[in-house]
Amino acid sequence: MQKLTDPNLLDDIAEIGRIQAVPRILETVAHITGSRFTAIARVTQTTWTACATFDTLGFGLVPGGQLVLETTICDEIRQSATSVVFAHASEHPIYSQHHTPRIYGLESYASVPIHRPDGSFFGTLCAIDSAPANFDVAHVQRSMELLADLVGSYLDKEDRLVRAESALSDAHRVADLRDQFIAVLGHDLRSPLQAISIAADSLACEAGTERQQRMLAHITSGVARMDGLINDVLDFARGRLGGGIPIALQLTSTLEEDLKRVVEEVAIATGRQDIKVHIQIDDVVCDPSRLAQLLANLLTNAAVHGERSSPITLTVHSEPEMLTLDVHNDGHIPSARLDAIFSPFSREKSERPRPGLGLGIYIASEIARSHGGTLEVESSAAAGTLFTFKMPPLELP
């Protein structure tokens, strides 16, 4: 017997080892044949390698153990793709003179080929014993061939599983690289944007004509819009890269004023002067700028997607055990979209083009998560759409 020296065969052994049914298959073969040693072997043009064994005979061969190929009958099976089964070697007209029974002291022997579903040869399913057997050769051969087909089918599934896992790993790696690229790009865009902003501010002091002032107003507006897009990209990248959106917790007594200021800004930006506000909160530990961003995203979404004929309602109240923020509008989100509403870029392709990247609700949900809270949505044609943010009490670090 030889020990495994070819590292390439380790993959074949591992592949068989991943098939949970193999121990039961080998035990079944032992039961069918009465043999005390059964095995699945990888057989190539140059090697015979045990991939899995069931041994009560004391044959001593374990997974990874090798036999000299030329001393086995499996090499003949590989070449002919036919099974070999006999119950009493010393009385067999052919195998009484064969070298394999003499070398290993075998009397009963059964070995059938294992093929992958594509027809390629893998190896053999074997059963041996030093004592003669009392079995029906045809029955044993057919039973073992069916079990060999089962092993071949499992091998195909293992191959596909390994390929799928490899493809998934590659996809994750590409996704991570893409998210890192987005983060770096968003960060690097800040410098030229800041230079444009500073230059525009300097020119504003010198702009004399109405046309120059108008052009500078366009530049300033574009810079502000680009800054908002870059912030969304950076927040998206932080969420996707696993770190979450960073927050700076503080005890604030001005959260109500901060949220009301957001309402005024959204009302001006969207032309929605019908936002009804009900806020009653005490001092809160939170990141007020991030909660303001969460509210801005929810209100902007409601203003853009809600029914313009019905008002938007904002309700915020705090209790000892929970801060709750509700944004309601009379728009309706189809049930097919509700599951994906918190995913990035969740807009329907059929929607008309709108400003922004479609990241607002995703970023709001990430801000909620960073605060240890939740953001949920309910929507129906009759009741409209309600986004609810809930945050438990937080402690300062």
Side-chain angles (χ1 to χ4, degrees):
M1 297 182 187
Q2 299 175 333
K3 289 188 176 180
L4 178 64
T5 57
D6 184 357
N8 294 327
L9 291 173
L10 292 174
D11 288 341
D12 296 323
I13 296 171
E15 190 173 16
I16 292 294
R18 286 193 296 268
I19 302 174
Q20 295 182 358
V22 160
R24 184 60 60 87
I25 290 173
L26 293 180
E27 188 176 349
T28 301
V29 171
H31 177 74
I32 293 171
T33 62
S35 301
R36 289 172 289 171
F37 180 85
T38 61
I40 293 175
R42 175 71 170 107
V43 182
T44 70
Q45 292 181 347
T46 57
T47 59
W48 188 105
T49 307
C51 295
T53 61
F54 174 85
D55 187 5
T56 60
L57 177 63
F59 193 63
L61 199 62
V62 297
Q66 292 187 302
L67 301 178
V68 176
L69 179 63
E70 291 75 18
T71 67
T72 71
I73 300 175
C74 292
D75 188 35
E76 300 168 20
I77 295 173
R78 179 187 64 82
Q79 297 179 59
S80 64
T82 57
S83 303
V84 174
V85 181
F86 52 85
H88 201 165
S90 58
E91 296 182 358
H92 196 278
I94 298 175
Y95 290 100
S96 60
Q97 305 300 318
H98 197 281
H99 60 275
T100 296
R102 291 201 309 270
I103 292 173
Y104 296 108
L106 306 179
E107 280 294 340
S108 64
Y109 179 92
S111 183
V112 299
I114 298 173
H115 292 92
R116 298 179 186 271
D118 63 2
S120 61
F121 180 81
F122 177 84
T124 56
L125 176 62
C126 313
I128 62 172
D129 204 291
S130 58
N134 182 24
F135 56 62
D136 180 276
V137 170
H139 171 73
V140 165
Q141 178 174 328
R142 182 55 182 156
S143 297
M144 289 184 62
E145 286 173 348
L146 290 173
L147 290 171
D149 288 344
L150 182 61
V151 173
S153 176
Y154 276 122
L155 285 171
D156 181 62
K157 291 179 180 177
E158 285 297 322
D159 282 347
R160 285 188 279 119
L161 180 60
V162 169
R163 288 195 297 269
E165 289 176 345
S166 177
L168 182 61
S169 177
D170 290 344
H172 281 312
R173 187 162 52 251
V174 170
D176 286 344
L177 288 173
R178 182 179 61 245
D179 291 339
Q180 291 170 19
F181 168 77
I182 291 173
V184 171
L185 177 64
H187 181 270
D188 289 351
L189 284 174
R190 283 192 174 280
S191 294
L193 186 64
Q194 186 177 19
I196 294 172
S197 178
I198 293 173
D201 290 342
S202 298
L203 289 174
C205 299
E206 304 173 7
T209 67
E210 181 179 344
R211 181 176 180 278
Q212 289 175 331
Q213 293 176 356
R214 191 165 59 250
M215 295 298 292
L216 284 171
H218 287 314
I219 293 174
T220 302
S221 175
V223 167
R225 176 163 164 69
M226 288 178 64
D227 185 59
L229 292 173
I230 291 172
N231 287 335
D232 283 352
V233 166
L234 290 174
D235 285 340
F236 165 73
R238 292 185 187 108
R240 296 288 289 182
L241 291 173
I245 290 179
I247 59 173
L249 294 179
Q250 64 183 72
L251 178 64
T252 177
S253 58
T254 62
L255 182 60
E256 180 173 345
E257 288 77 8
D258 294 336
L259 298 182
K260 287 181 177 179
R261 183 164 55 252
V262 169
V263 173
E264 294 174 0
E265 292 172 356
V266 172
I268 294 171
T270 62
R272 295 295 298 263
Q273 303 299 323
D274 56 347
I275 304 176
K276 299 184 179 299
V277 179
H278 308 280
I279 300 179
Q280 187 174 2
I281 54 178
D282 300 319
D283 294 355
V284 179
V285 174
C286 66
D287 184 332
S289 63
R290 285 299 189 182
L291 290 193
Q293 183 183 5
L294 178 148
L295 176 60
N297 290 354
L298 294 181
L299 286 179
T300 300
N301 179 77
V304 172
H305 297 280
E307 294 292 337
R308 298 191 72 87
S309 58
S310 301
I312 299 168
T313 302
L314 167 65
T315 304
V316 188
H317 60 89
S318 61
E319 299 174 356
E321 66 277 5
M322 193 72 67
L323 170 72
T324 303
L325 183 153
D326 293 327
V327 174
H328 177 269
N329 70 84
D330 278 341
H332 173 225
I333 303 172
S335 57
R337 287 195 58 210
L338 277 179
D339 291 340
I341 195 68
F342 296 113
S343 299
F345 314 113
S346 61
R347 281 182 187 160
E348 289 184 333
K349 293 182 180 179
S350 59
E351 288 187 9
R352 66 181 184 276
R354 290 191 176 99
L357 299 172
L359 293 172
I361 300 301
Y362 168 76
I363 291 173
S365 68
E366 288 295 306
I367 293 173
R369 187 165 66 90
S370 294
H371 280 81
T374 60
L375 181 62
E376 299 177 346
V377 62
E378 298 176 358
S379 186
S380 68
T385 296
L386 175 66
F387 281 92
T388 300
F389 164 64
K390 290 185 177 181
M391 183 188 76
L394 299 178
E395 296 183 359
L396 290 174

